[in-house]
Amino acid sequence: MNRSLHLSESFVISCGTITLDIDQSKVLVIYLRKTGEYCLPKGRKDVGEQLEATAVRETYEETGYIVELLPLQLTTLATLHGNDDVRSAIPGGTTEPVAVTQRTTQGVLKIIFWYAARGDSCANRQMYTTEQEDEDFDAVWCPMDEVVQLLTFHDDKTITARVIEAARGGGSGSKVHCAVSI
């Protein structure tokens, strides 16, 4: 068994989304002008805030687009109403996290919970964002067939590919399936 302990001053919880516009076959990403990197929208959880709410709020604040969680049929180790581990697709889908990543920077552990979401690339982008002075980024809707190559970070590529596969009906050996009709 591998264990590690991180007290409250040594970690931060963040949440983000892989947001799809299923009708237009697009994925919402952030382009960082300063570094030329493409990444998924995410940000820190507020005190007392639910993880799902953080993912939706941070996506809105960073991109200006209103999104909602996308239910997926996914294999999970979570329990279903007090039963044993699910370990198979949940009928009707769930909005449980599709992935979690961990990063350590300057001794601080960042735990990021990732959720599938849906948005409308044709909607008007809201002007309000929480872009800070040192941030310089754009929200970009990328074609599903191109986004994985465009994303900068390996984890982002892997998670996005998995969610796109689910939205397209999965494939052989897929552990995630979309619970909405496409």
Side-chain angles (χ1 to χ4, degrees), residues 2 15 23-24 29-30 36-38 51 53 58 64-65 110 112-113 116 126 144 169 171 173 178:
N2 187 9
C15 298
D23 294 335
Q24 301 298 318
V29 299
I30 301 294
E37 296 171 327
Y38 287 88
L51 298 177
E58 283 292 342
Y65 288 98
K110 180 185 245 184
I112 308 165
F113 291 87
Q126 304 295 312
M144 282 186 191
C178 192

Side-chain angles (χ1 to χ4, degrees), residues 115-166:
Y115 292 85
R118 66 176 132 223
D120 182 357
S121 63
C122 298
N124 288 330
R125 182 176 183 259
Q126 304 295 312
M127 297 311 293
Y128 173 77
T129 66
T130 59
E131 188 173 339
Q132 299 172 5
E133 284 184 30
D134 62 335
E135 296 177 320
D136 188 20
F137 53 77
D138 292 315
V140 179
W141 286 96
C142 298
M144 282 186 191
D145 292 338
E146 299 172 16
V147 70
V148 172
Q149 277 86 349
L150 191 64
L151 288 165
T152 302
F153 302 104
H154 178 72
D155 290 348
D156 290 358
K157 291 174 184 276
T158 301
I159 297 164
T160 301
R162 174 66 68 92
V163 170
I164 289 170
E165 179 183 8

Side-chain angles (χ1 to χ4, degrees), residues 8-26:
S8 61
E9 65 273 10
S10 67
F11 73 91
V12 64
I13 297 173
S14 292
C15 298
T17 66
I18 303 82
T19 299
L20 307 180
D21 180 333
I22 295 168
D23 294 335
Q24 301 298 318
S25 294
K26 293 187 178 181

